[in-house]
Amino acid sequence: MRSLTFVFGTGRSGSTALSRILNSHPDVLSLNEYMASVGDASFPAGEVDGEEFWQALHRPAPHFERMIRSGVPLPEFLHTRVPGRYASETKGIPALSLMVLPHLTDDPDGLLDDLGAAVPRWPVRTAAEHHRALFGLLCARFGRTAVVERSGYSTGWAPGLRDAFPDAGFVHMFRDGPDCALSMSRHPGYRAISLLREIKARSGVDSFADLTPEHVRALPPDLAPLLGERFDPALVRDRRIPLRTFGVLWSELVVEGTEFLAGLPAGRRTTLAHENLLDDPAGELTRLADFIGVDPRPEWLRTSSALLDHSRRGSARGLPAAELAELRAECARGDHALRAWR
């Protein structure tokens, strides 16, 4: 493994397409939604042996399992599109199997079995060292040299990843605020995020670990069930959530992302605007490849543009004038942070 890069940002910014583009590069190991899948559980404190690390990678992600069982699977869930031998209704879908491994191979179950035969045998070491070893193992398997992890809604992971991997590079990916907020408002995952944020705000807690039974009992009937193992999907799909809510979320994430980037050495940071990628895919991907440390191969540059979706650009312009003005006002703080960074 020659280099390690994390693409972070708000999500709903063309970053899934970017993972597909990176996966098509013969030198890049594209870890699609890796951090979103394995989360904090894969970074225990201190040192752990291979078996404990493997359990963190294999254990189903509880929040994603609830979404699937409740009939609100996210479009990013690859395992549920072409099902393997795992299901949420039985033992659950292993964290790596939901979005990471199906992105890399047509036989994700077989790859999981191979990893499961190797990783538990690993020695005691820190979680970061285990992750690096896993990345190296996958690079060797697929003949890749550079690792790029990309997860949606990932700004909050960035500080911990910087600490765990001091030599890693970071790419802040973003999209026009109103367009991105409108996309969030239509996505079941971001709708659920908004409702869970409302639960914390109503309960006055910073973490769900601080929720008490009294907090839950005080919640309205259209919010409390979201904390259960299964809920009515209409609670996420049909509940009216003001569009400005997602403008606030976009600004919050963009400000957080630009502040994080400002604290990195110049050589370990860069940005990628969705609109710039659409306007000049060859130029932006060449710049990105240089940052990652791979050759911007001409054939890769030619084929990558076909993976970009131009149809969603400017989608917010179709909103009623008053609603668009309100949304732009909520996005102003994030816009200001981006202008200041540029």
Side-chain angles (χ1 to χ4, degrees), residues 262-276:
L264 290 175
R268 290 178 50 210
R269 67 190 186 197
T270 192
T271 61
L272 182 60
H274 180 236
E275 291 74 22
N276 291 348

Side-chain angles (χ1 to χ4, degrees), residues 204-224:
V205 299
D206 294 325
S207 168
F208 284 107
D210 298 327
L211 277 179
T212 66
E214 289 73 21
H215 286 137
V216 176
R217 283 194 291 270
L219 292 171
D222 60 346
L223 286 178

Side-chain angles (χ1 to χ4, degrees), residues 31-35 37-38 53-54 56-61 79 93-104 108 111-112 115-116 119 131 134-135 138:
L31 294 179
N32 175 60
E33 303 283 6
Y34 181 81
M35 283 307 303
S37 300
V38 301
F53 178 66
W54 177 245
L57 303 180
H58 194 274
R59 187 182 303 118
H79 189 88
I93 300 172
L96 282 182
S97 296
L98 190 57
M99 297 180 282
V100 181
L101 300 187
H103 180 72
L104 295 174
L111 179 53
L112 186 75
L115 294 175
V119 176
H131 284 286
L134 179 65
F135 301 162
L138 289 171

Side-chain angles (χ1 to χ4, degrees), residues 22 65 171 229 257:
L22 291 169
E65 291 290 299
V171 180
E229 289 301 307

Side-chain angles (χ1 to χ4, degrees), residues 36-92:
S37 300
V38 301
D40 287 332
S42 68
F43 282 88
E47 296 185 333
V48 295
D49 62 20
E51 177 62 33
E52 186 173 349
F53 178 66
W54 177 245
Q55 289 306 314
L57 303 180
H58 194 274
R59 187 182 303 118
H63 50 296
F64 291 150
E65 291 290 299
R66 284 195 295 272
M67 296 289 284
I68 295 170
R69 282 195 300 267
S70 302
V72 204
L74 306 189
E76 292 83 359
F77 292 170
L78 300 179
H79 189 88
T80 55
R81 291 190 201 171
V82 184
R85 65 172 180 260
Y86 300 99
S88 295
E89 295 296 343
T90 54
K91 294 183 179 180

